[in-house]
Amino acid sequence: MIFFMEDSNYEKVFQEFQKRFLKKNIDETAKRLQLKTDTYYLYVPFFNENCRVEKATGEITGETGQELCVSDRLTIMHHLCCHQEFAQKSDRKVPFREIREAAVFEAAYNRMALEPLKKAFQGRGDALLKAGIEIGGKQEKFGDVSITLQAFPMISLTYIFWDSDEEFPAAANILFDNRIAQWTHPESVPVLAETGTKRLIAAMRI
């Protein structure tokens, strides 16, 4: 399970998927995932950052060529390699527990995505909205504050936050595209949630 891998193991897994990527028809992949491409690169929008995948090597860098952490690189590679040819656009949003393929990771999802979100933004719902807009999110009308982040062109996540009051502690939820597991590896579903949380928290500190 990738939540508990050492970086060296992440790298080994990434390299295996990198080999799979190099065997794929990159133009077909780009069309299916709504990605732009040129002679040398495949461009992958990832949480408001236009990452680059080198066609010849499968190496992944940020939009200015900067190095990405191995977790982000593996998450991108999962999307490129593990989407299904028959994948369909999602038609509704569902909570994590309703994603059958990923439900086994619910404990890690709660710990890595929901708990940090509640802790960071308790009493600061306005900061959550500001952070979400800062990283390209779209305001929604759920809870006290809600924001939809576009993880990839075909995958979005909606973060919902209820602030604490005299009776209840802060609460949070994330809604996912109901067909998200058709577009990536099931293990990447909670990782995408964690990544969005980290980026919201980082944007709050800018």
Side-chain angles (χ1 to χ4, degrees):
M1 181 175 173
I2 59 181
F3 275 101
F4 305 111
M5 284 185 188
E6 299 291 338
D7 279 357
S8 59
N9 289 331
Y10 270 111
E11 287 290 356
K12 290 177 182 177
V13 174
F14 173 77
Q15 289 166 13
E16 289 302 313
F17 279 98
Q18 196 174 29
K19 293 175 184 176
R20 289 175 56 178
F21 169 77
L22 294 174
K23 296 177 181 179
K24 295 180 72 68
N25 184 315
I26 295 176
D27 289 334
E28 286 185 5
T29 296
K31 182 178 181 180
R32 190 173 294 121
L33 301 182
Q34 298 187 5
L35 307 176
K36 294 181 180 180
T37 184
D38 61 22
T39 303
Y40 303 104
Y41 294 101
L42 181 66
Y43 297 93
V44 183
F46 180 59
F47 286 103
N48 207 38
E49 179 178 6
N50 203 30
C51 299
R52 305 186 307 189
V53 184
E54 191 171 354
K55 289 182 175 181
T57 65
E59 291 297 330
I60 303 176
T61 56
E63 58 188 316
T64 60
Q66 78 272 23
E67 184 176 351
L68 298 179
C69 70
V70 65
S71 177
D72 285 353
R73 286 187 281 119
L74 181 55
T75 302
I76 292 169
M77 194 57 78
H78 272 170
H79 184 47
L80 296 176
C81 292
C82 299
H83 65 277
Q84 300 169 6
E85 291 187 8
F86 62 80
Q88 297 178 325
K89 289 184 178 180
S90 297
D91 55 13
R92 59 190 174 92
K93 292 282 190 176
V94 297
F96 187 85
R97 64 179 178 274
E98 291 189 24
I99 305 169
R100 178 178 53 80
E101 299 89 340
V104 66
F105 307 122
E106 186 168 12
Y109 156 73
N110 287 331
R111 184 176 68 256
M112 304 299 288
L114 293 187
E115 291 303 324
L117 189 74
K118 291 186 287 185
K119 182 177 180 180
F121 293 103
Q122 182 170 348
R124 303 191 63 186
D126 56 337
L128 174 58
L129 179 59
K130 182 178 179 181
I133 297 298
E134 182 73 24
I135 60 174
K138 174 187 175 184
Q139 184 177 7
E140 305 288 359
K141 297 181 179 180
F142 308 109
D144 293 331
V145 178
S146 53
I147 195 91
T148 292
L149 302 181
Q150 202 70 39
F152 294 110
M154 302 305 297
I155 297 177
S156 64
L157 299 87
T158 299
Y159 290 72
I160 306 173
F161 178 76
W162 296 267
D163 211 345
S164 58
D165 58 26
E166 294 179 355
E167 295 185 33
F168 300 101
N173 196 10
I174 302 172
L175 299 181
F176 300 80
D177 300 330
N178 64 315
R179 297 181 178 129
I180 188 172
Q182 294 182 10
W183 294 100
T184 191
H185 194 291
E187 289 189 9
S188 275
V189 177
V191 175
L192 284 168
E194 179 190 7
T195 301
T197 291
K198 286 181 175 180
R199 296 199 175 208
L200 287 167
I201 293 171
M204 176 183 67
R205 295 169 178 166
I206 295 176

